[in-house]
Amino acid sequence: MEIPPKSPDGSEKSPQSKELVPSNTGSTLCMSSRSESVWTSASRSKWDIYHKPVIVVSVGAATFLFGTVITSLSCFLTKNKNVYKMSGPAFLSLGLMLLVCGL
C-alpha cells in the first residue's frame, strides 16, 4: 500500500478530513422539529383537538351497526343469505377496527 506524502508544513489536509463536513444537526434538528404555531399560539379548543377521533369513532360505530344489521338479515331473509353472511362480518370487523383506533 502506498502512503500519500505529507506536506512539510502540515497545511495540506488528508483526503479523509476533506470529506468530513462539520454539521450542526443537533441544533437544527430541534429547531426544525418545532413548529412556531404550535409552541407560540394560544390554547386550542377541545373541538380542535378531538374532532378527528370523534369522527373516526362515529364512522366506526355506524359501520359496526350496519354490519350488525346485515348479519342479522341473514337470519331473516333467505334469498341472498350467502351475501349477507359474507359481507356482514366484514362490516362488523371494519367498524370495530375504526372504533378501537378512534378511541
Side-chain angles (χ1 to χ4, degrees):
M1 284 180 69
E2 283 186 24
I3 299 174
K6 294 184 179 181
S7 64
D9 60 349
S11 62
E12 185 179 324
K13 294 183 178 180
S14 67
Q16 294 170 348
S17 65
K18 289 180 184 177
E19 294 175 5
L20 299 176
V21 177
S23 66
N24 298 329
T25 55
S27 61
T28 58
L29 181 63
C30 292
M31 290 175 59
S32 65
S33 66
R34 294 181 189 162
S35 173
E36 291 296 325
S37 62
V38 173
W39 295 98
T40 59
S41 67
S43 63
R44 299 186 301 179
S45 68
K46 288 187 178 185
W47 176 249
D48 290 337
I49 296 170
Y50 295 117
H51 76 279
K52 288 181 184 178
V54 166
I55 291 170
V56 171
V57 167
S58 61
V59 169
T63 308
F64 186 78
L65 290 174
F66 182 70
T68 304
V69 169
I70 295 294
T71 305
S72 64
L73 283 177
S74 68
C75 299
F76 300 118
L77 300 177
T78 58
K79 187 175 181 182
N80 294 326
K81 192 171 189 174
N82 289 334
V83 174
Y84 296 138
K85 280 189 174 183
M86 287 173 52
S87 61
F91 283 109
L92 280 170
S93 63
L94 182 65
L96 186 62
M97 182 182 63
L98 286 173
L99 271 170
V100 169
C101 289
L103 288 174

Short mmCIF file of all heavy atoms in Angstrom, two decimals, residues 53 56-61 64 92-103:
data_model
loop_
_atom_site.label_atom_id
_atom_site.label_comp_id
_atom_site.label_asym_id
_atom_site.label_seq_id
_atom_site.Cartn_x
_atom_site.Cartn_y
_atom_site.Cartn_z
N PRO A 53 -60.69 12.19 16.16
CA PRO A 53 -61.09 10.94 16.81
C PRO A 53 -62.60 10.80 16.94
O PRO A 53 -63.13 9.69 16.84
CB PRO A 53 -60.43 11.02 18.19
CG PRO A 53 -59.32 11.96 18.04
CD PRO A 53 -59.74 12.93 16.99
N VAL A 56 -63.83 9.55 13.61
CA VAL A 56 -63.46 8.15 13.38
C VAL A 56 -64.32 7.22 14.23
O VAL A 56 -64.79 6.17 13.76
CB VAL A 56 -61.96 7.93 13.67
CG1 VAL A 56 -61.60 6.47 13.66
CG2 VAL A 56 -61.12 8.68 12.66
N VAL A 57 -64.58 7.59 15.48
CA VAL A 57 -65.41 6.76 16.35
C VAL A 57 -66.84 6.71 15.83
O VAL A 57 -67.48 5.65 15.82
CB VAL A 57 -65.36 7.27 17.82
CG1 VAL A 57 -66.44 6.64 18.66
CG2 VAL A 57 -64.00 6.99 18.42
N SER A 58 -67.37 7.83 15.38
CA SER A 58 -68.75 7.83 14.89
C SER A 58 -68.89 7.04 13.59
O SER A 58 -69.87 6.31 13.42
CB SER A 58 -69.25 9.26 14.71
OG SER A 58 -68.46 9.94 13.76
N VAL A 59 -67.92 7.13 12.70
CA VAL A 59 -67.96 6.32 11.48
C VAL A 59 -67.80 4.84 11.81
O VAL A 59 -68.48 3.97 11.23
CB VAL A 59 -66.87 6.79 10.48
CG1 VAL A 59 -66.71 5.81 9.34
CG2 VAL A 59 -67.21 8.16 9.95
N GLY A 60 -66.95 4.52 12.77
CA GLY A 60 -66.78 3.13 13.21
C GLY A 60 -68.03 2.57 13.83
O GLY A 60 -68.41 1.42 13.57
N ALA A 61 -68.71 3.38 14.64
CA ALA A 61 -69.96 2.91 15.26
C ALA A 61 -71.03 2.70 14.21
O ALA A 61 -71.78 1.70 14.26
CB ALA A 61 -70.43 3.92 16.30
N PHE A 64 -70.15 -0.48 12.33
CA PHE A 64 -70.41 -1.64 13.18
C PHE A 64 -71.91 -1.94 13.25
O PHE A 64 -72.31 -3.11 13.15
CB PHE A 64 -69.84 -1.38 14.58
CG PHE A 64 -69.93 -2.56 15.49
CD1 PHE A 64 -69.03 -3.60 15.37
CD2 PHE A 64 -70.91 -2.63 16.46
CE1 PHE A 64 -69.10 -4.70 16.21
CE2 PHE A 64 -70.99 -3.72 17.31
CZ PHE A 64 -70.08 -4.76 17.18
N LEU A 92 -68.71 -5.67 10.28
CA LEU A 92 -68.53 -5.73 11.74
C LEU A 92 -67.06 -5.52 12.11
O LEU A 92 -66.75 -4.74 13.02
CB LEU A 92 -69.00 -7.08 12.28
CG LEU A 92 -70.49 -7.26 12.48
CD1 LEU A 92 -70.80 -8.72 12.79
CD2 LEU A 92 -70.98 -6.38 13.60
N SER A 93 -66.17 -6.21 11.43
CA SER A 93 -64.74 -6.09 11.78
C SER A 93 -64.18 -4.72 11.42
O SER A 93 -63.38 -4.16 12.16
CB SER A 93 -63.93 -7.20 11.10
OG SER A 93 -64.01 -7.06 9.70
N LEU A 94 -64.63 -4.18 10.28
CA LEU A 94 -64.16 -2.85 9.91
C LEU A 94 -64.66 -1.79 10.90
O LEU A 94 -63.90 -0.90 11.31
CB LEU A 94 -64.65 -2.50 8.50
CG LEU A 94 -64.21 -1.17 7.93
CD1 LEU A 94 -62.71 -1.17 7.73
CD2 LEU A 94 -64.91 -0.91 6.62
N GLY A 95 -65.91 -1.89 11.31
CA GLY A 95 -66.44 -0.95 12.29
C GLY A 95 -65.76 -1.06 13.64
O GLY A 95 -65.47 -0.05 14.28
N LEU A 96 -65.48 -2.30 14.06
CA LEU A 96 -64.80 -2.48 15.34
C LEU A 96 -63.39 -1.93 15.28
O LEU A 96 -62.91 -1.33 16.24
CB LEU A 96 -64.78 -3.96 15.70
CG LEU A 96 -64.25 -4.32 17.08
CD1 LEU A 96 -65.13 -3.69 18.15
CD2 LEU A 96 -64.20 -5.82 17.25
N MET A 97 -62.71 -2.11 14.14
CA MET A 97 -61.36 -1.58 13.99
C MET A 97 -61.36 -0.05 14.06
O MET A 97 -60.51 0.55 14.72
CB MET A 97 -60.76 -2.04 12.67
CG MET A 97 -59.35 -1.57 12.45
SD MET A 97 -58.66 -2.06 10.88
CE MET A 97 -59.73 -1.23 9.73
N LEU A 98 -62.33 0.58 13.41
CA LEU A 98 -62.40 2.04 13.46
C LEU A 98 -62.76 2.54 14.86
O LEU A 98 -62.25 3.57 15.31
CB LEU A 98 -63.43 2.56 12.45
CG LEU A 98 -62.99 2.50 10.99
CD1 LEU A 98 -64.15 2.86 10.08
CD2 LEU A 98 -61.82 3.39 10.74
N LEU A 99 -63.62 1.81 15.56
CA LEU A 99 -63.94 2.19 16.93
C LEU A 99 -62.70 2.15 17.83
O LEU A 99 -62.43 3.07 18.60
CB LEU A 99 -65.00 1.24 17.50
CG LEU A 99 -66.45 1.62 17.28
CD1 LEU A 99 -67.36 0.47 17.67
CD2 LEU A 99 -66.80 2.85 18.08
N VAL A 100 -61.95 1.07 17.72
CA VAL A 100 -60.77 0.92 18.58
C VAL A 100 -59.71 1.96 18.21
O VAL A 100 -59.09 2.57 19.10
CB VAL A 100 -60.22 -0.52 18.46
CG1 VAL A 100 -58.84 -0.64 19.11
CG2 VAL A 100 -61.19 -1.49 19.10
N CYS A 101 -59.50 2.18 16.93
CA CYS A 101 -58.49 3.18 16.52
C CYS A 101 -58.91 4.60 16.92
O CYS A 101 -58.08 5.40 17.27
CB CYS A 101 -58.26 3.11 15.01
SG CYS A 101 -57.40 1.64 14.50
N GLY A 102 -60.20 4.89 16.86
CA GLY A 102 -60.67 6.20 17.26
C GLY A 102 -60.56 6.44 18.75
O GLY A 102 -60.28 7.55 19.22
N LEU A 103 -60.77 5.37 19.52
CA LEU A 103 -60.68 5.52 20.97
C LEU A 103 -59.22 5.67 21.38
O LEU A 103 -58.89 6.38 22.28
CB LEU A 103 -61.29 4.32 21.68
CG LEU A 103 -62.82 4.25 21.61
CD1 LEU A 103 -63.29 2.93 22.23
CD2 LEU A 103 -63.45 5.41 22.32
#
